[in-house]
Amino acid sequence: MISGARLGKISCRYLGIVIALAISLSSGAKADEFVGPIFRKGLWHFVRTLDLVAHRKTKHRLVERELTACVDPTIAMKATFASPSVGTCVSAKPEKNANTYTFSNRCDYLGPVSTVITVHSEEAYTEVNELNKGDVPRVEQVVAKRLGDCNDAAADVHRSATLSH
């Protein structure tokens, strides 16, 4: 059995290790701080469309999907802003102008894309990805809007409403 004095020494030692680890992690994180937009967690509604652009004025809608879920969009933005290079595709750093973030080239599941994220508020944004590879350019657009706080009843109502459309 461990005495109270010995337990106190062990606890203090571990506390010291935890504090040292926290300080080293926080000082290392400052170099890689997220510089993108921050959004509020909650119940969000997303509308995603994917269009083929045959001509400047002619688009053919391939996909239109809606999703309502309790999420933290900032987590997805961190992944977008940390877009790594894939093969020969090298992601560009985003350029910020007022409430718009523009990536001239970002490596995505579609391939190399140009991305524009327009932040309307901490509760709404639009993301447009343009892929000009191949004969027919494609445009993916995501319109996101926060509906409110998460709670089980609200989430269930919005999920069923989304599924019924």
Side-chain angles (χ1 to χ4, degrees), residues 53-59:
V53 182
H55 298 287
R56 204 175 278 184
K57 295 181 181 180
T58 307
K59 292 182 181 180

Side-chain angles (χ1 to χ4, degrees), residues 34 73-84 91 103 106-107 117:
F34 175 61
T74 303
I75 294 170
M77 282 295 155
K78 287 180 181 179
T80 298
F81 277 69
S83 180
S91 293
F103 297 81
R106 190 173 65 81
C107 303
I117 298 168

Side-chain angles (χ1 to χ4, degrees), residues 26 59 159:
S26 67
K59 292 182 181 180
R159 274 193 206 103

Side-chain angles (χ1 to χ4, degrees), residues 54-108:
H55 298 287
R56 204 175 278 184
K57 295 181 181 180
T58 307
K59 292 182 181 180
H60 298 285
R61 175 105 348 129
L62 296 177
V63 175
E64 182 170 331
R65 300 257 164 95
E66 293 187 32
L67 170 70
T68 302
C70 288
V71 295
D72 182 354
T74 303
I75 294 170
M77 282 295 155
K78 287 180 181 179
T80 298
F81 277 69
S83 180
S85 299
V86 178
T88 59
C89 181
V90 178
S91 293
K93 299 275 186 210
E95 295 177 20
K96 184 178 185 221
N97 184 5
N99 66 330
T100 302
Y101 297 84
T102 304
F103 297 81
S104 58
N105 187 56
R106 190 173 65 81
C107 303
D108 196 329

Side-chain angles (χ1 to χ4, degrees), residues 141-158:
Q141 179 173 322
V142 177
V143 176
K145 182 173 170 86
R146 185 177 185 274
L147 302 176
D149 293 331
C150 292
N151 66 42
D152 293 336
D156 290 341
V157 167
H158 287 290

